[in-house]
Amino acid sequence: MSNHQSLFGNTLSDLQTFCKTHGLPSFNARQICEWLYKKQVSSVDEMTNLSLKTRELLKEHYDMGISEPVNVQISSDGTKKYLFKTQKNGAIEAVYMPSSERHTLCISCQMGCKMGCEFCATGKQGFQHNLTAGEILNQLRSIPESTLMTNIVYMGMGEPFDNLDEVLKSLEILTSDWGYAWSPRRINVSTIGLIPEMERFINESECHLAISLHSPFDYERQKFMPIQNKYPISSVIKALKKYDWSGQRRLSFEYIMFDGINDKHAHLDELTKLLKGLFCRVNLIKYHSHPKSDFQPSSEERMIEFRDYLNEHGIICTIRQSRGEDIMAACGLLSTMEKK
């Protein structure tokens, strides 16, 4: 593995600094972005409107930083799980979910995760390292379906706000006119509620926000989500109520339903109270069992009751369709310690 930095994953500002440092014209920075993110070239030599000297300088300081997936698993429902090697000799996974209306890519931002949620396979893996903006975006850039993609969710391995600088950098590249020029409304970033980082994200990005809720009761959430000790869900909601969510930007709450634990009527009452006055939606998620967890999924009937109750009480609620469970690609199942 080369000691050079990766060229892919640099922002316009990064490349303007490079040009200034090396006495190159500033417009070269925008040309390089065009080649990287719009024309998606695989080598510096393909950047034909740059001088030979500029190309040689780039090759002297950078690797391209693009790598193909090393493995793919395909589910019976058409979901594909891609495995990528990381620059620090680790491995991460991204999940492609096609449907008739949209093509969604679920990407990772860390190898492993520090948050230690009891029900999550990635959390059980522990934390190995953060991904760079280039490694985050490489998951989109390097799969065969790259040009089909309509939506991206930062809901793969890791806690996005625990790697906020690189996540924001990747979002800047995705949404800027010199980058992929995506609408931020096509991107959804998930967090378990790191409040200072969440507030910074809200102020610095226009992408949708999803909060992993899983219980409206502080004492109960604490039992399976250690972050609750530092940032209680009641404090997360209080922070969110300072912002206006009635526009195009969406706030949603993810609620994995565990049989006999967080699926009782008392939870519905408390959820309704907790979210009152907040313009949001709730996504109910079927729990996907794995060998390192004792949790079991709630019944489909219970999930439908939950959905209907919340909708009747003024909270938009849907049941998220499970995808890729047969290849361990569904929510909370991504883990790569054995795949390095």
Side-chain angles (χ1 to χ4, degrees), residues 162-196:
D162 189 41
N163 185 19
L164 184 58
D165 286 341
E166 295 301 310
V167 165
L168 284 173
K169 194 171 172 179
S170 70
L171 293 172
E172 183 185 351
I173 294 166
L174 275 172
T175 58
S176 295
D177 64 339
W178 48 260
Y180 284 93
W182 276 45
S183 163
R185 308 295 174 236
R186 297 167 61 189
I187 304 165
N188 202 349
V189 182
S190 175
T191 180
I192 60 173
L194 310 185
I195 294 174

Side-chain angles (χ1 to χ4, degrees), residues 162-261:
D162 189 41
N163 185 19
L164 184 58
D165 286 341
E166 295 301 310
V167 165
L168 284 173
K169 194 171 172 179
S170 70
L171 293 172
E172 183 185 351
I173 294 166
L174 275 172
T175 58
S176 295
D177 64 339
W178 48 260
Y180 284 93
W182 276 45
S183 163
R185 308 295 174 236
R186 297 167 61 189
I187 304 165
N188 202 349
V189 182
S190 175
T191 180
I192 60 173
L194 310 185
I195 294 174
E197 291 82 1
M198 179 182 80
E199 291 183 323
R200 189 179 150 204
F201 166 81
I202 293 169
N203 291 323
E204 294 183 25
S205 167
E206 293 179 18
C207 298
H208 296 315
L209 176 63
I211 309 290
S212 297
L213 177 57
H214 312 320
S215 175
F217 295 110
D218 280 332
Y219 72 89
E220 184 177 71
R221 194 171 184 258
Q222 189 177 23
K223 291 178 187 173
F224 46 79
M225 296 178 74
I227 196 66
Q228 180 70 19
N229 293 308
K230 189 168 186 183
Y231 299 120
I233 193 61
S234 51
S235 301
V236 174
I237 301 293
K238 189 177 175 184
L240 289 167
K241 284 185 175 177
K242 292 189 292 187
Y243 300 91
D244 177 14
W245 298 98
S246 62
Q248 286 186 302
R249 187 180 202 177
R250 190 172 64 239
L251 172 64
S252 57
F253 291 90
E254 313 286 288
Y255 196 95
I256 299 174
M257 292 189 65
F258 307 117
D259 185 41
I261 296 175

Side-chain angles (χ1 to χ4, degrees), residues 91-299:
I92 49 108
E93 293 175 325
V95 180
Y96 165 60
M97 296 165 284
S99 72
S100 54
E101 311 88 45
R102 61 179 62 194
H103 296 263
T104 302
L105 186 65
C106 177
I107 59 177
S108 297
C109 59
Q110 297 180 311
M111 181 184 174
C113 185
K114 293 177 194 167
M115 300 300 124
C117 298
E118 284 293 323
F119 47 84
C120 178
T122 312
K124 294 288 187 184
Q125 174 176 321
F127 175 74
Q128 283 71 51
H129 59 81
N130 284 327
L131 301 187
T132 64
E135 287 177 309
I136 293 169
L137 292 177
N138 181 65
Q139 296 165 72
L140 169 67
R141 163 70 174 80
S142 295
I143 61 171
E145 300 84 5
S146 177
T147 56
L148 299 176
M149 223 55 64
T150 60
N151 297 80
I152 291 179
V153 294
Y154 283 65
M155 296 182 184
M157 300 176 68
E159 162 57 57
F161 294 172
D162 189 41
N163 185 19
L164 184 58
D165 286 341
E166 295 301 310
V167 165
L168 284 173
K169 194 171 172 179
S170 70
L171 293 172
E172 183 185 351
I173 294 166
L174 275 172
T175 58
S176 295
D177 64 339
W178 48 260
Y180 284 93
W182 276 45
S183 163
R185 308 295 174 236
R186 297 167 61 189
I187 304 165
N188 202 349
V189 182
S190 175
T191 180
I192 60 173
L194 310 185
I195 294 174
E197 291 82 1
M198 179 182 80
E199 291 183 323
R200 189 179 150 204
F201 166 81
I202 293 169
N203 291 323
E204 294 183 25
S205 167
E206 293 179 18
C207 298
H208 296 315
L209 176 63
I211 309 290
S212 297
L213 177 57
H214 312 320
S215 175
F217 295 110
D218 280 332
Y219 72 89
E220 184 177 71
R221 194 171 184 258
Q222 189 177 23
K223 291 178 187 173
F224 46 79
M225 296 178 74
I227 196 66
Q228 180 70 19
N229 293 308
K230 189 168 186 183
Y231 299 120
I233 193 61
S234 51
S235 301
V236 174
I237 301 293
K238 189 177 175 184
L240 289 167
K241 284 185 175 177
K242 292 189 292 187
Y243 300 91
D244 177 14
W245 298 98
S246 62
Q248 286 186 302
R249 187 180 202 177
R250 190 172 64 239
L251 172 64
S252 57
F253 291 90
E254 313 286 288
Y255 196 95
I256 299 174
M257 292 189 65
F258 307 117
D259 185 41
I261 296 175
N262 65 349
D263 61 353
K264 303 184 179 81
H265 195 83
H267 293 90
L268 284 170
D269 285 342
E270 193 65 21
L271 261 179
T272 309
K273 277 188 223 159
L274 186 68
L275 301 181
K276 189 177 181 184
L278 199 53
F279 195 86
C280 64
R281 65 178 62 208
V282 173
N283 294 317
L284 302 178
I285 301 170
K286 177 191 170 190
Y287 179 64
H288 304 103
S289 306
H290 57 88
K292 294 182 178 175
S293 170
D294 296 327
F295 292 90
Q296 294 301 319
S298 300
S299 68

Side-chain angles (χ1 to χ4, degrees), residues 74-90:
I74 303 174
S75 165
S76 57
D77 65 18
T79 298
K80 292 184 180 181
K81 183 169 73 169
Y82 287 100
L83 182 73
F84 291 90
K85 286 290 175 83
T86 68
Q87 292 167 11
K88 293 184 178 174
N89 200 30

Side-chain angles (χ1 to χ4, degrees), residues 307-326:
R307 179 197 66 193
D308 292 349
Y309 181 96
L310 290 173
N311 278 317
E312 284 161 15
H313 287 75
I315 297 169
I316 300 166
C317 182
T318 57
I319 297 173
R320 184 187 292 166
Q321 183 186 359
S322 289
R323 299 292 302 267
E325 193 172 359
D326 56 333

